[in-house]
């Protein structure tokens, strides 16, 4: 059961990742200089990818502090997001009190709701409160 579930989740996330990276690559390929238009384009792409307004603004702010060349945007963006994920992971590990949160991400139509239902049923069968 887990194998199929995680393969479906992995496939859905792959579609999401590819769509996001394609849009970022397209914006960067068209950019000649780093300017407000580029940052606005990246901001729009991140928001449309459901990153969230606050997180998007923090990513853009951190990105502005790191780069001064269009060629550096892609690796800097990757670095900023990775650093933010590490920061959040360290915080959450300290504050966990026996509860578990599962984040499900994916594009429309890949089975997120079905997967959530299956995870809930599986946890309930194990005697956990959902």
């Amino acid at each position: 059961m887990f194998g199929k579930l995680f393969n479906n989740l992995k496939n859905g996330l792959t579609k999401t990742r590819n769509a996001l990276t394609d849009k970022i690559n397209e914006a960067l390929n068209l950019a000649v200089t780093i300017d407000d238009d580029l940052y606005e384009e990246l901001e729009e792409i991140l928001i449309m990818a459901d990153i969230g307004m606050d997180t998007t603004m923090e990513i853009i702010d951190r990105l502005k502090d790191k780069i001064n060349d269009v060629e550096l945007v892609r690796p800097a963006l990757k670095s900023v997001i990775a650093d933010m994920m590490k920061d959040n992971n360290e915080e959450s590990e300290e504050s966990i009190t026996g509860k578990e949160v599962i984040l499900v991400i994916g594009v429309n139509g890949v089975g997120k709701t079905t997967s959530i239902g299956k995870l809930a049923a599986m946890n309930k069968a194990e005697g956990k409160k959902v």
Side-chain angles (χ1 to χ4, degrees), residues 36 39 43 59-68:
D36 289 340
Y39 287 123
E43 186 179 310
I59 290 169
I60 297 298
D61 288 343
R62 288 186 185 194
L63 198 58
K64 285 179 179 179
D65 292 340
K66 281 190 161 210
I67 57 170
N68 57 6

Side-chain angles (χ1 to χ4, degrees), residues 51-81:
I51 301 293
M53 182 59 97
D54 292 340
T55 304
T56 295
M57 297 314 295
E58 185 171 346
I59 290 169
I60 297 298
D61 288 343
R62 288 186 185 194
L63 198 58
K64 285 179 179 179
D65 292 340
K66 281 190 161 210
I67 57 170
N68 57 6
D69 180 358
V70 174
E71 294 297 319
L72 300 175
V73 174
R74 197 174 286 112
L77 183 60
K78 184 177 180 180
S79 172
V80 164
I81 292 171

Side-chain angles (χ1 to χ4, degrees), residues 88-102:
N88 286 335
N89 192 32
E90 290 168 5
E91 281 178 23
S92 63
E93 287 178 15
E94 294 172 5
S95 62
I96 291 178
T97 58
K99 295 181 182 180
E100 184 177 355
V101 175
I102 300 172

Side-chain angles (χ1 to χ4, degrees), residues 13-25 45 49 107:
L13 290 173
T14 299
K15 290 177 190 177
T16 301
R17 183 191 68 225
N18 290 343
L20 178 62
T21 55
D22 287 349
K23 289 177 185 174
I24 290 172
N25 287 337
I45 291 168
V107 295

